[in-house]
Short mmCIF file of all heavy atoms in Angstrom, two decimals:
data_model
loop_
_atom_site.label_atom_id
_atom_site.label_comp_id
_atom_site.label_asym_id
_atom_site.label_seq_id
_atom_site.Cartn_x
_atom_site.Cartn_y
_atom_site.Cartn_z
N ALA A 659 88.48 102.07 101.15
CA ALA A 659 88.14 100.99 100.21
C ALA A 659 88.52 101.41 98.80
O ALA A 659 88.70 102.60 98.50
CB ALA A 659 86.65 100.68 100.30
N ASP A 660 88.65 100.42 97.91
CA ASP A 660 89.04 100.72 96.53
C ASP A 660 88.17 99.93 95.56
O ASP A 660 87.13 99.40 95.95
CB ASP A 660 90.53 100.44 96.32
CG ASP A 660 90.92 99.02 96.69
OD1 ASP A 660 90.03 98.14 96.67
OD2 ASP A 660 92.11 98.78 97.01
N VAL A 661 88.62 99.84 94.31
CA VAL A 661 87.80 99.22 93.28
C VAL A 661 87.50 97.75 93.58
O VAL A 661 86.47 97.22 93.16
CB VAL A 661 88.49 99.36 91.91
CG1 VAL A 661 89.79 98.59 91.87
CG2 VAL A 661 87.59 98.92 90.78
N THR A 662 88.35 97.08 94.34
CA THR A 662 88.13 95.67 94.68
C THR A 662 87.42 95.52 96.02
O THR A 662 86.43 94.78 96.13
CB THR A 662 89.45 94.90 94.71
OG1 THR A 662 90.36 95.56 95.60
CG2 THR A 662 90.08 94.85 93.33
N THR A 663 87.89 96.19 97.07
CA THR A 663 87.29 96.03 98.39
C THR A 663 85.96 96.75 98.52
O THR A 663 85.24 96.55 99.50
CB THR A 663 88.25 96.51 99.49
OG1 THR A 663 88.72 97.82 99.18
CG2 THR A 663 89.45 95.57 99.59
N ALA A 664 85.62 97.61 97.55
CA ALA A 664 84.30 98.24 97.52
C ALA A 664 83.46 97.68 96.39
O ALA A 664 82.50 98.31 95.93
CB ALA A 664 84.43 99.76 97.37
N ALA A 665 83.78 96.47 95.92
CA ALA A 665 83.07 95.88 94.78
C ALA A 665 81.78 95.19 95.18
O ALA A 665 80.94 94.93 94.31
CB ALA A 665 83.98 94.89 94.05
N ALA A 666 81.60 94.89 96.46
CA ALA A 666 80.39 94.18 96.87
C ALA A 666 80.19 94.30 98.36
O ALA A 666 81.15 94.54 99.12
CB ALA A 666 80.46 92.70 96.46
N LEU A 667 78.95 94.14 98.79
CA LEU A 667 78.57 94.04 100.19
C LEU A 667 77.60 92.86 100.34
O LEU A 667 76.84 92.56 99.42
CB LEU A 667 77.91 95.33 100.68
CG LEU A 667 78.78 96.56 100.80
CD1 LEU A 667 77.92 97.80 101.05
CD2 LEU A 667 79.81 96.40 101.91
N VAL A 668 77.65 92.23 101.51
CA VAL A 668 76.70 91.15 101.78
C VAL A 668 75.38 91.81 102.18
O VAL A 668 75.27 92.43 103.23
CB VAL A 668 77.21 90.21 102.87
CG1 VAL A 668 76.18 89.14 103.18
CG2 VAL A 668 78.53 89.57 102.44
N LEU A 669 74.39 91.66 101.31
CA LEU A 669 73.11 92.35 101.50
C LEU A 669 72.18 91.59 102.43
O LEU A 669 71.47 92.19 103.26
CB LEU A 669 72.45 92.56 100.13
CG LEU A 669 71.10 93.26 100.10
CD1 LEU A 669 71.26 94.71 100.57
CD2 LEU A 669 70.52 93.22 98.69
N HIS A 670 72.15 90.26 102.33
CA HIS A 670 71.14 89.48 103.07
C HIS A 670 71.62 88.05 103.22
O HIS A 670 72.24 87.49 102.30
CB HIS A 670 69.81 89.52 102.31
CG HIS A 670 68.67 88.85 103.01
ND1 HIS A 670 68.32 87.54 102.78
CD2 HIS A 670 67.79 89.32 103.94
CE1 HIS A 670 67.28 87.23 103.53
NE2 HIS A 670 66.94 88.28 104.24
N ARG A 671 71.35 87.46 104.36
CA ARG A 671 71.68 86.06 104.60
C ARG A 671 70.41 85.30 104.95
O ARG A 671 69.55 85.79 105.69
CB ARG A 671 72.69 85.92 105.75
CG ARG A 671 74.03 86.58 105.49
CD ARG A 671 75.00 86.30 106.63
NE ARG A 671 76.23 87.07 106.51
CZ ARG A 671 77.26 86.71 105.77
NH1 ARG A 671 77.21 85.57 105.10
NH2 ARG A 671 78.35 87.47 105.72
N SER A 672 70.32 84.08 104.43
CA SER A 672 69.19 83.21 104.73
C SER A 672 69.63 81.76 104.56
O SER A 672 70.79 81.50 104.22
CB SER A 672 68.00 83.52 103.80
OG SER A 672 68.32 83.17 102.46
N LYS A 673 68.71 80.84 104.76
CA LYS A 673 69.05 79.43 104.58
C LYS A 673 69.43 79.12 103.14
O LYS A 673 70.20 78.20 102.87
CB LYS A 673 67.88 78.56 105.01
CG LYS A 673 67.59 78.60 106.51
CD LYS A 673 66.44 77.68 106.86
CE LYS A 673 66.17 77.71 108.37
NZ LYS A 673 65.03 76.83 108.73
N ALA A 674 68.89 79.91 102.20
CA ALA A 674 69.21 79.69 100.79
C ALA A 674 70.63 80.12 100.44
O ALA A 674 71.17 79.69 99.43
CB ALA A 674 68.20 80.44 99.91
N GLY A 675 71.22 80.97 101.27
CA GLY A 675 72.57 81.46 101.01
C GLY A 675 72.65 82.95 101.23
O GLY A 675 71.73 83.58 101.78
N ALA A 676 73.73 83.54 100.81
CA ALA A 676 73.96 84.98 100.98
C ALA A 676 73.79 85.68 99.64
O ALA A 676 74.33 85.24 98.62
CB ALA A 676 75.36 85.23 101.53
N ARG A 677 73.04 86.76 99.65
CA ARG A 677 72.90 87.60 98.45
C ARG A 677 73.82 88.82 98.61
O ARG A 677 73.80 89.48 99.65
CB ARG A 677 71.45 88.05 98.26
CG ARG A 677 70.50 86.92 97.92
CD ARG A 677 69.10 87.46 97.71
NE ARG A 677 68.13 86.40 97.46
CZ ARG A 677 67.77 85.97 96.25
NH1 ARG A 677 68.33 86.52 95.18
NH2 ARG A 677 66.86 85.02 96.12
N TRP A 678 74.59 89.10 97.59
CA TRP A 678 75.50 90.24 97.61
C TRP A 678 74.91 91.38 96.78
O TRP A 678 74.18 91.14 95.80
CB TRP A 678 76.85 89.87 97.03
CG TRP A 678 77.63 88.86 97.82
CD1 TRP A 678 77.18 88.07 98.84
CD2 TRP A 678 79.01 88.52 97.64
NE1 TRP A 678 78.18 87.27 99.33
CE2 TRP A 678 79.32 87.52 98.60
CE3 TRP A 678 80.00 88.94 96.77
CZ2 TRP A 678 80.59 86.96 98.71
CZ3 TRP A 678 81.27 88.38 96.88
CH2 TRP A 678 81.57 87.40 97.83
N LEU A 679 75.26 92.60 97.14
CA LEU A 679 74.97 93.77 96.33
C LEU A 679 76.27 94.20 95.68
O LEU A 679 77.26 94.49 96.37
CB LEU A 679 74.41 94.90 97.19
CG LEU A 679 74.03 96.19 96.43
CD1 LEU A 679 72.87 95.93 95.48
CD2 LEU A 679 73.67 97.31 97.43
N THR A 680 76.31 94.21 94.36
CA THR A 680 77.56 94.48 93.63
C THR A 680 77.68 95.95 93.29
O THR A 680 76.68 96.68 93.16
CB THR A 680 77.62 93.64 92.35
OG1 THR A 680 76.53 94.00 91.49
CG2 THR A 680 77.54 92.16 92.67
#
Side-chain angles (χ1 to χ4, degrees):
D660 56 24
V661 65
T662 55
T663 51
L667 291 170
V668 178
L669 180 66
H670 184 266
R671 297 185 188 276
S672 67
K673 292 181 179 179
R677 293 182 184 267
W678 294 13
L679 181 66
T680 61

